[in-house]
Amino acid sequence: MKDKRRRIGFSYAWNGIKEIYKTEYNFRIHLIAAVLAIVAGFTFHLSNMEWAIIVLVIGLVLMAELINSVIEKMIDYLKPEIHPSAKIIKDVAAGVVLITAIIALIVGLLIFLPKLDSIL
């Protein structure tokens, strides 16, 4: 019985990720960027430490995007009419994603630019 509950919990989580993938354009953009970073990682033969950092920042960006989507959907559910406080909540949640993506970009540049420089 316990194993069945775990599988059900996993299926709910997977359904949530699929829903966000289908409905959130920015999540798909972040996934494309993640795939490109992974391909670049294999191309440039990253060290284990570099892989760990890349995987961590990819995970952080995707998590931030998921949390932002949850916040937006909750606000839309709780306060469907336009309200200044709802806008601020949504804007701040989007800001979290932006900051996380900028940090991921900086980390990517720190890891990949020296590798690009060495082959050029």
Side-chain angles (χ1 to χ4, degrees):
M1 180 71 169
K2 190 175 186 179
D3 187 45
K4 185 178 179 182
R5 278 187 276 175
R6 273 192 219 142
R7 283 186 297 199
I8 290 170
F10 180 81
S11 69
Y12 292 150
W14 186 246
N15 288 340
I17 292 169
K18 289 190 304 188
E19 180 64 25
I20 294 302
Y21 178 82
K22 286 190 274 186
T23 61
E24 297 295 328
Y25 176 75
N26 287 339
F27 186 77
R28 292 191 301 271
I29 295 297
H30 290 301
L31 278 177
I32 290 168
V35 168
L36 292 174
I38 291 167
V39 168
F42 283 116
T43 302
F44 291 111
H45 307 287
L46 297 183
S47 70
N48 286 345
M49 183 59 74
E50 290 168 328
W51 270 117
I53 294 167
I54 291 295
V55 169
L56 181 64
V57 295
I58 288 171
L60 289 173
V61 170
L62 295 178
M63 286 170 40
E65 189 63 56
L66 287 167
I67 292 167
N68 176 52
S69 297
V70 167
I71 291 169
E72 286 181 351
K73 289 181 186 319
M74 281 178 30
I75 293 298
D76 290 344
Y77 177 77
L78 296 172
K79 198 78 169 159
E81 65 278 359
I82 295 175
H83 189 277
S85 294
K87 180 187 181 321
I88 291 169
I89 292 167
K90 287 178 157 187
D91 289 352
V92 171
V96 171
V97 178
L98 178 62
I99 289 171
T100 308
I102 290 169
I103 291 168
L105 176 64
I106 292 168
V107 167
L109 291 173
L110 289 170
I111 290 175
F112 290 114
L113 278 182
K115 295 179 182 313
L116 275 171
D117 190 44
S118 70
I119 62 169
L120 297 177

